Amino acid sequence: MTQPLLTGIAIGGFRSFGTPELQRMAPLTKVHLLAGPNNSGKSNVLQIAARSLPKLRAQQGFDLDNSDIPIGAAAEERHFRLGILLRLTDEQIEEASGRSDPQFARAVRELFQGPTFASDVEEAIWLEMTPNEGQNPAWLVNGDQVADVGSAIDQGRRSRRLQRVSELMVGEWGNSDEQNAARILNQIVRASNLMEQLPPVAKIGAFRRITDAEEIIEGEHDGAGLILRLARLQNPSFDEPENRERFSRINKFVRRLFDDDSAEIDVPHDRSTLLVRYAGEWLPLENYGTGLHEVIVLAAAATVLSGHLVCIEEPEIHLHPTLQRKLLRYLAKETDNQYLIATHSAHLLDSELASISAVRLEEGNTIVTAALGPKEIAAIGAELGARASDLVQANSVIWVEGPSDRTYIRHWIECLAPELVEGVHYSLLFYGGRLLSHLSADDPAVEEFISLPRINRHFTLVIDSDRPRAGARIKPTKQRVKREVQALTGHEPWITAGYTIENYVPPALLRDAVGQVHPGAHCKWAGDRYKDPLVSKQIKGRSSQVDKPVIAEYVIARWDEVKPWPLDPEVQVKRLIRLIRAANDLP
């Protein structure tokens, strides 16, 4: 699935959603996480999505139970409202009016500038639907929105605009602004096929277990009937060959789970259980731990379904953090559904794979806000009991001496593995390598530095050798840091083959960069690996130090091809890439 099936959903007048304003969740990507503490209202979002969206899609009536009505809400907040994010493009306006006229399209969009329609998603408005209490049609556009059409236009122009647009779009106009606004809104809803385009919805509860079932129960995806569903995928009928491919995707996931290229699942002929092959042995799934049992149930259910909005309650239950991340990646990359996931696991807050809404309970009401960046995600993590550093730090960390080292290493990684993204798959952090030159090997500051990276074992260091000649020994402080880090992580730090990181730059390119960044200056360095290329004695016509970070940016902008590699960076960068891939569960 290249586009999400549902771009936004909003709720008002349901259980803990008792505020006058609808609580909006948008934009929804393929995987959207509802993150927050227990009893904050996450499950209510899944409940209303699973119950009301199918009714709206089928244009059937929808009634609330007494237990669904917000407690203590004022009368005007007690009626249920469901918000859907609706694209309002020139093409859709043309479809609704039959007019291919950009000026007319602008005039129509100006009618939807009021607060109830406002959206942060480009060319989209919020549409609020409310059940029609057993009447026909079963759902209506909320009356508050009808009143909001054209509210940003002054009263005199508003009436004329509504009348004119209604005439051109519907072929008739009414005697009041309300009539014309309702006609325009209803015509846009009809032309957009909003109801028909809503996805079918499936819900997977928090209690998941494969159980004996002699038949498939529609709507049940917590484990009952799953063996029969998998049997259909494993041995499809002649006219469903795509099911075999779906079954192979589940086995691909199982191989990643077990880190075993021969691992697979199989449905035996009697369909009494699910067999799992691991390390050459076939055993029933129930012989494995609860975590593996649950993650296979989730992955299998998500693969059996197709083109659905799948609402999942707390997939992290019984799952190790590594299994949680593997499951999230499988849902995002290997299935064709969209997912709305309620969670209080900080390990699932992966901004690369999912969009996130923070769900909180304030004065008895659920409040939803978008978590768009590390600051918001860290705030959610704090509420979930996790440290902010655990969330905003990438899975793999490369500690470097300064900004120019970061520039070069990031460029080399991009050249060899462009799919790896800084800030997502890895971070480049500064440790101020020059400080190591002024410390002894047993200095307390060295001990403190070595202990800092213990929050993330997937890390390594890049250290300038500072060797002035061939055969010179690395200073004791750097040798100790190398030993300690290697013992802590199993990864040997990268000590540069030359004096510093700039020794890896082709001499002609570095000399050109110095002259361009510092007009009048000339770099004498000719490629000697044991001389610092940018030390003052190598620069003519300039007494002060050169700006190394700016020179680095100039160099990489003109360094289209890394090869031929000077010295050993190709070997070292490939080691970094293997570390990053391992930390991110990438092949």
Side-chain angles (χ1 to χ4, degrees):
M1 184 181 67
T2 57
Q3 294 293 328
L5 299 167
L6 187 66
T7 53
I9 185 172
I11 302 171
F14 178 78
R15 296 189 180 179
S16 59
F17 289 84
T19 60
E21 304 82 15
L22 269 71
Q23 296 302 308
R24 299 174 174 179
M25 288 144 274
L28 303 182
T29 57
K30 184 174 180 179
V31 178
H32 189 81
L33 303 179
L34 304 165
N38 285 329
N39 300 314
S40 57
K42 304 184 301 295
S43 295
N44 288 340
V45 178
L46 303 191
Q47 280 281 346
I48 203 59
R51 287 171 53 186
S52 68
L53 284 175
K55 298 293 187 181
L56 179 59
R57 181 172 185 255
Q59 277 294 280
Q60 296 175 349
F62 176 72
D63 297 321
L64 296 183
D65 299 329
N66 289 334
S67 60
D68 295 331
I69 298 173
I71 299 174
E76 60 271 18
E77 278 95 51
R78 292 169 70 90
H79 68 283
F80 173 66
R81 293 153 292 154
L82 179 67
I84 303 294
L85 200 59
L86 175 67
R87 295 283 183 181
L88 190 62
T89 63
D90 284 2
E91 292 76 13
Q92 286 176 317
I93 294 173
E94 179 182 350
E95 183 70 24
S97 64
R99 298 177 60 86
S100 178
D101 181 351
Q103 185 175 353
F104 177 73
R106 281 196 302 274
V108 172
R109 271 198 295 273
E110 285 178 2
L111 295 174
F112 301 104
Q113 302 299 311
T116 65
F117 297 104
S119 162
D120 293 330
V121 179
E122 187 177 359
E123 292 190 319
I125 62 172
W126 282 101
L127 191 68
E128 299 180 11
M129 306 297 295
T130 187
N132 196 16
E133 298 182 358
Q135 303 299 312
N136 187 27
W139 291 77
L140 295 174
V141 177
N142 186 23
D144 292 339
Q145 280 207 296
V146 174
D148 202 23
V149 176
S151 63
I153 304 173
D154 67 80
Q155 185 60 42
R157 292 178 55 243
R158 178 183 182 225
S159 294
R160 293 193 298 273
R161 176 74 60 82
L162 289 171
Q163 184 177 3
R164 183 60 174 162
V165 170
S166 179
E167 177 186 11
L168 295 175
M169 184 175 286
V170 186
E172 59 180 343
W173 66 91
N175 296 323
S176 69
D177 290 350
E178 184 179 31
Q179 286 179 329
N180 290 325
R183 283 192 174 97
I184 294 167
L185 268 174
N186 290 330
Q187 179 65 11
I188 287 175
V189 170
R190 283 193 295 269
S192 67
N193 294 318
L194 173 68
M195 318 304 184
E196 296 84 348
Q197 291 182 9
L198 291 173
V201 183
K203 187 172 182 291
I204 302 176
F207 303 100
R208 300 172 286 267
R209 197 75 178 170
I210 293 180
T211 57
D212 294 334
E214 297 181 358
E215 60 182 16
I216 293 174
I217 304 172
E218 291 302 324
E220 293 287 336
H221 297 279
D222 301 337
L226 185 59
I227 293 176
L228 297 179
R229 287 186 170 100
L230 290 175
R232 287 184 177 179
L233 298 186
Q234 180 175 324
N235 299 289
S237 61
F238 175 77
D239 58 347
E240 295 179 318
E242 69 279 359
N243 282 349
R244 199 179 303 275
E245 170 58 27
R246 298 165 73 82
F247 192 78
S248 71
R249 289 205 300 270
I250 299 176
N251 275 326
K252 181 180 177 182
F253 174 64
V254 170
R255 288 191 285 273
R256 290 180 182 173
L257 273 183
F258 287 96
D259 292 319
D260 182 347
D261 290 339
S262 65
E264 59 180 317
I265 62 173
D266 182 81
V267 181
H269 74 92
D270 61 2
R271 301 179 181 179
S272 59
T273 185
L274 195 63
L275 298 177
V276 179
R277 181 185 183 188
Y278 171 55
E281 297 288 336
W282 285 100
L283 292 172
L285 179 59
E286 51 265 28
N287 283 39
Y288 294 89
T290 303
L292 284 171
H293 190 130
E294 288 221 7
V295 77
I296 289 178
V297 170
L298 287 167
T303 310
V304 167
L305 295 164
S306 179
H308 281 62
L309 174 66
V310 183
C311 301
I312 304 178
E313 286 268 15
E314 300 180 5
E316 68 271 14
I317 294 176
H318 300 131
L319 298 192
H320 182 276
T322 299
L323 291 184
Q324 294 178 35
R325 287 190 287 266
K326 286 183 177 182
L327 174 65
L328 190 67
R329 184 167 295 277
Y330 178 76
L331 298 181
K333 302 293 186 182
E334 302 292 342
T335 70
D336 60 0
N337 301 301
Q338 185 179 18
Y339 298 92
L340 200 57
I341 299 176
T343 181
H344 44 67
S345 169
H347 302 289
L348 289 176
L349 303 184
D350 188 332
S351 58
E352 177 213 4
L353 296 174
S355 52
I356 304 170
S357 288
V359 184
R360 301 176 175 91
L361 198 65
E362 298 180 5
E363 298 181 356
N365 290 312
T366 294
I367 304 298
V368 181
T369 56
L372 301 177
K375 181 179 179 181
E376 293 87 357
I377 295 173
I380 300 173
E383 294 175 6
L384 298 179
R387 291 175 299 173
S389 59
D390 295 329
L391 299 178
V392 299
Q393 188 182 73
N395 290 334
S396 178
V397 177
I398 303 167
W399 293 85
V400 298
E401 296 203 5
S404 59
D405 302 69
R406 172 179 176 267
T407 299
Y408 290 122
I409 292 171
R410 180 181 59 188
H411 176 66
W412 294 332
I413 290 174
E414 288 176 350
C415 288
L416 290 182
E419 71 279 7
L420 299 180
V421 181
E422 185 188 10
V424 174
H425 300 107
Y426 67 96
S427 290
L428 288 157
L429 304 181
F430 308 145
Y431 66 86
R434 285 290 178 186
L435 296 176
L436 294 182
S437 301
H438 303 289
L439 301 173
S440 64
D442 58 354
D443 194 294
V446 175
E447 187 70 43
E448 184 178 354
F449 168 72
I450 292 171
S451 68
L452 281 176
R454 293 179 191 271
I455 60 174
N456 189 333
R457 296 299 180 94
H458 293 285
F459 80 94
T460 192
L461 272 73
V462 180
I463 306 172
D464 286 344
S465 73
D466 294 338
R467 293 196 298 170
R469 62 187 177 278
R473 292 177 61 83
I474 303 297
K475 292 179 180 179
T477 302
K478 296 188 176 185
Q479 289 183 10
R480 185 195 167 196
V481 169
K482 175 184 175 181
R483 289 194 305 271
E484 295 283 356
V485 170
Q486 187 169 1
L488 186 64
T489 68
H491 305 292
E492 182 178 352
W494 174 359
I495 297 181
T496 60
Y499 190 92
T500 185
I501 197 78
E502 279 79 15
N503 291 84
Y504 290 122
V505 180
L509 181 55
L510 190 64
R511 291 196 297 268
D512 177 58
V514 171
Q516 293 296 324
V517 173
H518 301 288
H522 172 67
C523 178
K524 299 189 300 179
W525 182 66
D528 189 333
R529 67 190 288 183
Y530 299 113
K531 291 182 179 179
D532 185 344
L534 298 181
V535 74
S536 58
K537 66 176 64 176
Q538 293 290 333
I539 308 297
K540 284 187 175 181
R542 185 178 178 88
S543 58
S544 60
Q545 287 188 335
V546 296
D547 193 333
K548 294 174 68 173
V550 176
I551 288 173
E553 292 291 347
Y554 181 93
V555 166
I556 67 162
R558 289 153 184 82
W559 197 351
D560 296 329
E561 293 291 336
V562 173
K563 296 182 180 181
W565 293 84
L567 305 176
D568 69 338
E570 181 175 16
V571 173
Q572 298 287 2
V573 172
K574 286 181 176 179
R575 287 178 57 235
L576 294 182
I577 290 170
R578 287 195 293 272
L579 169 68
I580 295 167
R581 290 188 181 282
N584 286 276
D585 298 322
L586 296 174

